[in-house]
Amino acid sequence: EAMACGTPVIASKVGGLTFTVQGGVTGFLVPERDPHALADKISLLLHDAELRQRLGAQAAQRARRYSWPIVADQIVVLYDRVASRVVPEQIKT
């Protein structure tokens, strides 16, 4: 949501965040449980307006990939692919 609003994100390198946040492109990824690394990246963005604006614009562009219409279309394609592999004899009632 922050990325969709054009805000660069600083996140820990955990879970799904490693796929959505691109380090140095849409924000920064820092090691988990590393408050110093987090503070360094916050300070960097606070003091560099050009970097903040560039990362924010790139974050908004990347976030468009995760809009609900796009995600819903991808789910439908996946369901169609899975459903086409099921043969009626394999279905048990």
Side-chain angles (χ1 to χ4, degrees):
E1 291 159 348
M3 288 172 51
C5 294
T7 303
V9 173
I10 304 169
S12 295
K13 292 181 185 177
V14 296
L17 298 171
T18 60
F19 297 103
T20 54
V21 178
Q22 294 177 297
V25 178
T26 62
F28 295 106
L29 291 167
V30 297
E32 64 179 306
R33 300 173 201 239
D34 189 340
H36 297 292
L38 177 62
D40 288 344
K41 295 304 181 187
I42 291 171
S43 180
L44 177 62
L45 287 179
L46 285 174
H47 294 98
D48 191 336
E50 183 180 321
L51 176 63
R52 191 171 57 245
Q53 290 172 351
R54 181 171 46 84
L55 295 182
Q58 292 170 164
Q61 183 178 12
R62 178 152 174 90
R64 288 186 196 104
R65 296 180 185 181
Y66 300 100
S67 70
W68 280 115
I70 291 173
V71 170
D73 287 345
Q74 291 172 344
I75 290 172
V76 168
V77 168
L78 179 63
Y79 284 170
D80 285 344
R81 205 177 301 153
V82 170
S84 69
R85 292 182 183 162
V86 175
V87 179
E89 297 85 40
Q90 294 174 329
I91 300 175
K92 294 182 180 181
T93 55

